[in-house]
């Protein structure tokens, strides 16, 4: 169970504004970034307002001492630089050129198996570790357009793969939010009062992946409402009733 206490309006109108700013200008470059890469961006703005007071409509309602409201809004716009590494194939691989790799690329069409078919007796390597263009599947040329070119010195070569030879510093983690709340209070009498509160928030979020353009996006949306009544039964007894609704 979670109990939330919010401010209520008073007989006077009161409000506030706020803004919090943080950005890249005061940050150093990530130690592991490429030296030619710019400083990872950081832009954070948190802002909002509060306002409350009596419900007053000229010639209709004067809510002083009886009917009050309080509302607030808070927003955030945040961009945080990300630094991700990935293993990407060399452009030469898509043309069949694996020259320079320590592994030998064999031609499966020259493979000779043992009589029982359980082991390879002999096979011939491709000359210069290069697969002929006629043997390359057309899908490889389509796949080439989907992969970025390497831009980072590999940390090692393992199983025909240059490890961490691509660095993605092009995208930022995006965390935005908009949220607000409105509350109403009715002082029915000195022994009875009602409260109502509704709040709503929407928070879209994007997390970059190691390959640019392949990150994940999700949005969190919440609705919450509460209706309550407080009754003073005696000098020593108070009854409070609340009912709530929450949708995530």
């Amino acid at each position: 169970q979670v109990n939330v206490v919010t401010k209520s309006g008073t007989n006077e109108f009161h409000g506030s504004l706020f803004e919090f700013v943080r950005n890249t200008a005061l940050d150093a470059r990530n130690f592991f970034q490429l030296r030619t890469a710019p400083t990872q961006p950081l832009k954070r703005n948190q802002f909002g307002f509060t306002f409350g007071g009596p419900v007053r409509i000229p010639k209709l309602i004067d809510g002083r001492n009886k009917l009050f409201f309080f509302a607030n809004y808070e927003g955030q716009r945040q961009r945080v630089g990300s630094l991700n590494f990935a293993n990407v194939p060399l452009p030469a691989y898509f043309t069949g050129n694996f020259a320079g790799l320590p592994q030998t690329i064999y031609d499966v069409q020259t493979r000779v198996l043992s009589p029982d078919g359980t082991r390879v007796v002999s096979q011939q390597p491709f000359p210069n570790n290069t697969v002929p263009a006629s043997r390359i599947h057309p899908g490889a040329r389509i796949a080439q357009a989907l992969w970025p070119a390497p831009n980072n010195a590999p940390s090692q070569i393992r199983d025909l793969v240059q490890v961490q030879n691509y660095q993605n510093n092009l995208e930022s983690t995006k965390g935005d939010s908009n949220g607000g709340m409105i509350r109403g209070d009715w002082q029915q009498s000195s022994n009875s009062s009602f409260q109502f509160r509704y709040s709503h928030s929407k928070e879209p979020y994007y997390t970059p992946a190691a390959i640019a353009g392949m990150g994940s996006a999700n949005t969190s949306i919440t609705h919450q409402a509460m209706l309550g009544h407080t009754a003073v039964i005696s000098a020593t007894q108070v009854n409070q009733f609340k009912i709530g609704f929450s949708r995530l």
Side-chain angles (χ1 to χ4, degrees):
Q1 180 180 357
V2 178
N3 290 321
V4 178
V5 179
T6 56
K7 295 178 65 175
S8 64
T10 63
N11 277 333
E12 302 292 334
F13 291 107
H14 294 283
S16 64
L17 295 172
F18 66 90
E19 164 77 13
F20 172 80
V21 178
R22 183 181 170 192
N23 57 41
T24 311
L26 301 177
D27 286 353
R29 184 174 58 84
N30 188 313
F31 178 81
F32 297 100
Q33 279 185 261
L34 295 173
R35 294 187 179 276
T36 56
T39 301
Q40 290 177 261
L42 170 60
K43 296 180 180 179
R44 179 181 298 159
N45 290 79
Q46 294 173 283
F47 49 90
F49 71 85
T50 65
F51 185 66
V55 177
R56 300 183 66 181
I57 302 177
K59 299 181 180 181
L60 290 178
I61 299 176
D62 185 351
R64 286 177 294 184
N65 299 316
K66 287 287 185 181
L67 190 60
F68 311 95
F69 76 93
F70 183 83
N72 87 298
Y73 164 80
E74 181 173 345
Q76 175 178 280
R77 303 294 181 269
Q78 179 172 281
R79 303 291 183 270
V80 180
S82 64
L83 182 61
N84 296 292
F85 293 89
N87 310 330
V88 299
L90 299 179
Y93 291 177
F94 294 99
T95 65
N97 185 359
F98 295 91
L101 287 178
Q103 294 88 349
T104 300
I105 308 299
Y106 290 95
D107 185 352
V108 296
Q109 294 185 359
T110 65
R111 184 173 295 173
V112 177
L113 300 179
S114 61
D116 59 1
T118 60
R119 58 189 179 86
V120 177
V121 176
S122 66
Q123 57 184 340
Q124 299 298 318
F126 284 110
N128 299 319
N129 244 18
T130 301
V131 180
S134 60
R135 301 280 298 278
I136 298 176
H137 193 279
R141 307 186 193 281
I142 298 175
Q144 183 176 8
L146 304 177
W147 287 92
N151 63 2
N152 190 54
S155 59
Q156 60 177 305
I157 297 178
R158 184 175 64 237
D159 298 330
L160 304 181
V161 174
Q162 290 195 357
V163 179
Q164 294 187 341
N165 64 345
Y166 176 77
Q167 181 182 122
N168 176 16
N169 189 45
L170 302 176
E171 297 181 301
S172 299
T173 299
K174 300 177 182 179
D176 296 342
S177 66
N178 291 288
M181 181 276 297
I182 186 167
R183 168 174 171 157
D185 290 85
W186 177 35
Q187 190 69 40
Q188 183 183 26
S189 67
S190 60
N191 295 326
S192 176
S193 62
F194 291 85
Q195 310 88 38
F196 171 76
R197 182 186 73 245
Y198 171 74
S199 61
H200 168 69
S201 68
K202 183 176 182 180
E203 302 178 5
Y205 200 85
Y206 176 76
T207 303
I211 305 297
M214 299 180 65
S216 60
N218 61 75
T219 300
S220 172
I221 300 176
T222 63
H223 299 270
Q224 293 181 321
M226 182 278 296
L227 178 64
H229 176 251
T230 302
V232 179
I233 300 173
S234 67
T236 59
Q237 293 180 313
V238 176
N239 180 71
Q240 188 175 63
F241 168 81
K242 288 184 178 181
I243 182 171
F245 167 82
S246 179
R247 182 176 182 180
L248 305 177

